[in-house]
Amino acid sequence: MLVGIDVGGTNLKAGLVSKDGQMLAVEKWPVTPFEKSEDFVAQLVDLCRIVCAKQGVDPATLDYVGMGIPGAVKAGEITYTCNLPLQGVAVEALFRKEIDVPVLLENDANCAAVGEYLLGAGRGTTDFTIITLGTGVGGGFIVGGKLYSGGGMVGEVGHMVIEKDGAPCGCGRHGCWETYSSATGLIRLTKEAMAAHPDSALHTVAQEQGGVSGRTAFDTALTGDAVAVALCNTYVEYLACGAANLCSILQPEVLAVGGGVADAPAHLLMEPLAKMVESSCYAANVGTPTRVVKAQLGNDAGILGAALLKQVL
Amino acid sequence: MLVGIDVGGTNLKAGLVSKDGQMLAVEKWPVTPFEKSEDFVAQLVDLCRIVCAKQGVDPATLDYVGMGIPGAVKAGEITYTCNLPLQGVAVEALFRKEIDVPVLLENDANCAAVGEYLLGAGRGTTDFTIITLGTGVGGGFIVGGKLYSGGGMVGEVGHMVIEKDGAPCGCGRHGCWETYSSATGLIRLTKEAMAAHPDSALHTVAQEQGGVSGRTAFDTALTGDAVAVALCNTYVEYLACGAANLCSILQPEVLAVGGGVADAPAHLLMEPLAKMVESSCYAANVGTPTRVVKAQLGNDAGILGAALLKQVL
């Protein structure tokens, strides 16, 4: 029996998972503010004990606990994270003081890639890429059936510059893909369109929804508002630009798109995106373009992938 | 004993190579125009026989012959190439009618990557990337000590868009990295600078050199010409943009730069390039930036890599 834990900037989620990928129990709660890293790891231990208890499993009998961390990891430690004050924390050592089973740490986007590869949109492939549209744009790669995890922080695809000297990014560069294609980027583009078009229905919809979100552009486009339709097109173009770049560099069989934004109406997002990427990626010249599909596992991908990490190492 | 053959758009080069990577004999000649694909493969057979004869080796006793092809390959066939009329040619089958030893086909940039990885700039690493600045920008990746050769055409890094809606590229997209950073791109940028600055010393140098080449900008910058210095800076910025993208996506330990342009004076090319990439790649945040270095093997990388392919499969 396995436990997968998905450490997010705001939520902690754990699942008890069988070796064949069945989710047997889940527990989720918001990250409780903590001062000492021990207190943070104590939350992970509690989560692990709770999901085990739900099925009467003794935590000490787990094969291992896999954890997806929003940052870089190496040898059981968190080497870099910008969302939680956990840099340098020896998670594995602290965790094993309480539950002495092997702990595998991996980047959270990589865990989602593993989940989708083994149980979702990537099943049946050997070269698979996933991008996740959230606060940033995350990415994970399966290469020849194995997770590509160079230095525990591979897949910083969001910081690929697609518009030299473009919009400033928190990383210090300009024109990074995620400044346009993340949910945050979409919200920025939406606000810019609203400022430029005071008459657009974007304003009404945003007001009804209590503010601008990653849904505003798509929901307004559904009403036929021309500004919102053009905005969605622009968003998809940026998204397709970076996605086609990844496909030309890595030539995966399938590129899956996850994250909240991917739930937008298919005719406004996934359909035009797939068409653009499949026609512009370099392998289109050979007649073997990457297939672009929506991720299938939603929020469970990270837990399942963390739990099944050993299958792809 | 092994033979590596490097098939270029203009030259064919073959080498007899020992298992430990010693180049024992070399032969090189221009591609002779051919009508039938059999005639082309006959040239490869001749080359192979000649390098073997130089050391008294019977070609039938070779372990295998490795070939680097400027295009995509799969299962012994050329599936795509834009420089030679060889699409669909079953190279392995035709070759073995004359010399019946195993034939390994691989993309030429991938072969150069293998050569540099095993014997040059990538020695001692396990994750290594090489880019080659020539007519286009080629790339090859070693991942975990193995060649990443997805579909025989991975590493089309030159067709990564770094300036959305930028300069048109032969592939159909706009703003591809190679439209700025290849030797061809540098020549285009040089001609643009000359048109904008009729008084620049670029004109004199180009005239002395019999036309604009990939050397013109750097040679003129050495004279202190402000326009040429600014041009070189611009070129390096574009080059660094795509290189930092690759580093953020793949997190290699070392990124090597090969091709004729890489021979430019180090203080004008490799030094500022390394500084820019090492400060802007994402791993700089963790204190483990990719090291950027010049490739070491020159034109031999492709032959040596083709000959040693089996070590990285």
Side-chain angles (χ1 to χ4, degrees):
Chain A
M1 209 65 83
L2 312 159
V3 164
I5 303 184
D6 188 9
V7 177
T10 47
N11 284 305
L12 300 177
K13 290 175 285 185
L16 181 71
V17 179
S18 66
K19 279 180 187 169
D20 60 351
Q22 299 293 315
M23 185 89 86
L24 306 174
V26 192
E27 184 72 21
K28 168 181 160 178
W29 63 50
V31 178
T32 312
F34 57 92
E35 291 197 357
K36 287 187 299 179
S37 49
E38 285 82 355
D39 298 337
F40 171 75
V41 176
Q43 295 181 45
L44 304 181
V45 170
D46 285 349
L47 266 177
C48 182
R49 288 195 171 127
I50 287 169
V51 292
C52 286
K54 286 186 181 185
Q55 292 284 328
V57 170
D58 176 359
T61 66
L62 291 170
D63 290 344
Y64 64 88
V65 176
M67 297 181 192
I69 306 288
V73 299
K74 198 164 197 175
E77 297 196 12
I78 298 177
T79 54
Y80 177 71
T81 174
C82 56
N83 295 319
L84 290 168
L86 289 173
Q87 197 148 333
V89 172
V91 175
E92 177 173 15
L94 291 170
F95 190 94
R96 294 190 73 157
K97 283 188 187 173
E98 299 297 323
I99 303 176
D100 192 18
V101 299
V103 173
L104 301 180
L105 295 190
E106 189 44 78
N107 173 273
D108 56 349
N110 283 349
C111 289
V114 172
E116 288 286 346
Y117 169 66
L118 292 172
L119 302 166
R123 266 176 305 177
T125 68
T126 54
D127 294 306
F128 172 70
T129 295
I130 186 170
I131 57 172
T132 309
L133 311 176
T135 312
V137 175
F141 318 132
I142 305 293
V143 174
K146 299 294 172 192
L147 177 66
Y148 181 31
S149 175
M153 63 172 300
V154 78
E156 291 295 346
V157 300
H159 298 286
M160 160 174 58
V161 168
I162 60 166
E163 192 158 83
K164 191 169 172 294
D165 306 322
C169 179
C171 79
R173 301 183 81 188
H174 286 75
C176 287
W177 189 24
E178 73 174 40
T179 64
Y180 307 98
S181 298
S182 63
T184 320
L186 176 55
I187 290 169
R188 182 178 63 80
L189 293 173
T190 305
K191 287 179 176 169
E192 286 174 9
M194 289 167 71
H197 302 277
D199 297 337
S200 161
L202 285 165
H203 293 274
T204 332
V205 172
Q207 203 161 22
E208 285 166 10
Q209 296 181 340
V212 178
S213 75
R215 290 178 47 199
T216 311
F218 293 105
D219 286 346
T220 313
L222 285 178
T223 71
D225 180 79
V227 171
V229 170
L231 168 61
C232 291
N233 284 345
T234 300
Y235 176 75
V236 173
E237 271 183 22
Y238 278 113
L239 184 54
C241 182
N245 282 355
L246 281 186
C247 292
S248 291
I249 295 168
L250 296 164
Q251 316 284 0
E253 298 160 72
V254 168
L255 177 123
V257 183
V261 178
D263 291 327
H267 72 283
L268 292 175
L269 183 73
M270 288 306 302
E271 288 170 16
L273 176 68
K275 202 177 263 184
M276 284 185 210
V277 174
E278 291 174 10
S279 66
S280 61
C281 69
Y282 197 78
N285 291 312
V286 201
T288 56
T290 300
R291 276 189 301 124
V292 177
V293 301
K294 193 178 158 188
Q296 297 174 356
L297 304 181
N299 290 326
D300 288 347
I303 300 175
L304 290 166
L308 300 176
L309 267 176
K310 257 200 180 157
Q311 295 190 23
V312 295
L313 297 184
Chain B
M1 207 66 81
L2 312 159
V3 163
I5 303 184
D6 188 9
V7 177
T10 48
N11 284 304
L12 300 177
K13 290 174 286 184
L16 181 71
V17 179
S18 67
K19 280 182 186 166
D20 61 351
Q22 298 295 313
M23 184 88 87
L24 305 173
V26 192
E27 184 73 19
K28 167 181 159 176
W29 62 50
V31 177
T32 312
F34 57 91
E35 291 196 356
K36 288 188 298 182
S37 49
E38 285 81 354
D39 298 337
F40 172 75
V41 176
Q43 295 182 45
L44 305 182
V45 170
D46 284 350
L47 267 178
C48 182
R49 287 193 172 129
I50 287 170
V51 292
C52 285
K54 286 186 180 185
Q55 292 284 327
V57 170
D58 176 359
T61 66
L62 291 170
D63 291 343
Y64 64 89
V65 176
M67 297 181 191
I69 306 287
V73 299
K74 199 164 196 174
E77 298 196 10
I78 298 177
T79 54
Y80 177 72
T81 173
C82 56
N83 295 321
L84 291 168
L86 290 173
Q87 197 149 331
V89 172
V91 176
E92 177 173 15
L94 291 170
F95 190 94
R96 294 190 73 156
K97 284 188 187 172
E98 300 297 325
I99 304 176
D100 191 19
V101 299
V103 172
L104 300 180
L105 294 191
E106 188 46 75
N107 173 273
D108 56 349
N110 283 350
C111 288
V114 172
E116 287 286 346
Y117 169 65
L118 293 172
L119 302 166
R123 267 176 305 176
T125 67
T126 54
D127 294 305
F128 172 70
T129 295
I130 185 170
I131 58 172
T132 310
L133 311 176
T135 312
V137 175
F141 318 131
I142 305 292
V143 174
K146 299 294 173 193
L147 177 65
Y148 180 33
S149 176
M153 65 171 300
V154 78
E156 291 295 346
V157 300
H159 297 285
M160 160 174 61
V161 169
I162 61 166
E163 191 156 84
K164 190 168 174 295
D165 305 322
C169 179
C171 78
R173 303 182 80 188
H174 286 75
C176 287
W177 189 25
E178 73 174 41
T179 65
Y180 306 99
S181 298
S182 62
T184 320
L186 175 55
I187 290 169
R188 181 179 63 80
L189 294 172
T190 305
K191 287 179 175 168
E192 286 175 9
M194 289 167 71
H197 301 279
D199 298 336
S200 162
L202 285 165
H203 294 274
T204 331
V205 172
Q207 202 162 22
E208 284 166 10
Q209 296 182 340
V212 178
S213 75
R215 291 177 48 197
T216 311
F218 293 106
D219 287 347
T220 314
L222 286 178
T223 72
D225 179 80
V227 171
V229 169
L231 168 61
C232 291
N233 283 345
T234 300
Y235 176 75
V236 173
E237 272 182 22
Y238 278 114
L239 184 54
C241 181
N245 282 355
L246 282 186
C247 292
S248 292
I249 295 168
L250 295 164
Q251 316 284 359
E253 296 160 72
V254 168
L255 177 124
V257 183
V261 178
D263 291 328
H267 72 283
L268 292 174
L269 183 73
M270 289 306 302
E271 288 171 16
L273 176 69
K275 203 177 261 185
M276 284 184 210
V277 174
E278 292 174 9
S279 65
S280 60
C281 69
Y282 197 78
N285 292 313
V286 201
T288 57
T290 300
R291 274 188 303 123
V292 178
V293 302
K294 194 179 156 188
Q296 297 174 354
L297 303 182
N299 291 326
D300 289 346
I303 300 175
L304 290 167
L308 300 177
L309 267 177
K310 256 199 182 159
Q311 294 190 24
V312 294
L313 298 184

